[in-house]
Amino acid sequence: MNERKYAFLERAVALREQESGPDHMATAYVLLDLAKALHLDGDLEAAEPKYTRAVDILSRHLGADHPSLWDIWRMLCRIRRRLGDLEGARSAGEWALATCRPGTAAAMFRMIELAGVLELLGAAEEAERLQREALRIHRRNFPRDALEDRMARW
């Protein structure tokens, strides 16, 4: 079943490239569909270059720090980390963080992910700085945990 799904999506990419061109935004969105299918099926090595090409195309059209790209940067950070490409994960994690509004929960989660990569790279001080900032955001946005609220009602 997966082979048929991949073949269908690869044909869709080829058709989109013929109709719109290899660097068109529509091509990037079909590439994302293929990357997500590969990713969900656990084929990270095949998914990574598809995500990378899609984000490259979309970055040229929208700008690399466009908010609609944060999810792709986040996926690239995770995939590259799992594949052992820590510098690539760091770069993607930094872009994912740059596309988030500062002080938001999304930024907090990106900081935590990036801090994990930085720890693996041996940049403990930088990782700790991000973790502390993520904790400040958490305390500011979530002054009381849901568990604390439930316990207070008992």
Side-chain angles (χ1 to χ4, degrees):
M1 176 62 182
N2 288 344
E3 294 307 316
R4 288 178 55 199
K5 174 175 57 176
Y6 300 146
F8 172 81
L9 288 168
E10 287 169 0
R11 279 193 311 273
V13 170
L15 286 171
R16 183 52 63 195
E17 287 175 329
Q18 288 174 352
E19 290 178 9
S20 304
D23 293 326
H24 195 276
M25 286 178 61
T27 301
Y29 289 118
V30 179
L31 275 167
L32 283 176
D33 290 340
L34 177 56
K36 288 175 188 176
L38 292 163
H39 185 186
L40 289 172
D41 289 341
D43 192 349
L44 303 182
E45 289 182 357
E48 193 276 340
K50 308 294 190 246
Y51 277 122
T52 299
R53 183 169 168 222
V55 81
D56 287 345
I57 294 168
L58 292 171
S59 294
R60 284 194 297 275
H61 290 279
L62 304 172
D65 60 348
H66 193 276
S68 66
L69 300 180
W70 75 268
D71 193 42
I72 304 169
W73 288 117
R74 182 176 57 88
M75 286 298 112
L76 278 169
C77 179
R78 289 180 176 177
I79 288 172
R80 289 173 178 170
R81 179 180 176 172
R82 289 184 187 139
L83 292 175
D85 177 9
L86 297 180
E87 286 298 335
R90 179 184 190 158
S91 175
E94 288 170 346
W95 277 111
L97 180 57
T99 60
C100 292
R101 222 174 56 224
T104 63
M108 176 187 71
F109 291 120
R110 302 294 84 67
M111 286 176 180
I112 293 167
E113 284 186 59
L114 182 54
V117 172
L118 292 170
E119 284 180 355
L120 291 172
L121 284 168
E125 288 179 21
E126 194 175 351
E128 185 176 338
R129 182 188 59 76
L130 282 176
Q131 290 167 339
R132 288 182 189 277
E133 180 60 24
L135 185 57
R136 278 193 286 280
I137 292 170
H138 182 273
R139 287 181 178 152
R140 187 171 47 247
N141 291 331
F142 311 102
R144 292 178 57 122
D145 287 335
L147 180 60
E148 289 176 359
D149 286 342
R150 282 191 217 128
M151 291 174 66
R153 286 187 223 137
W154 289 7

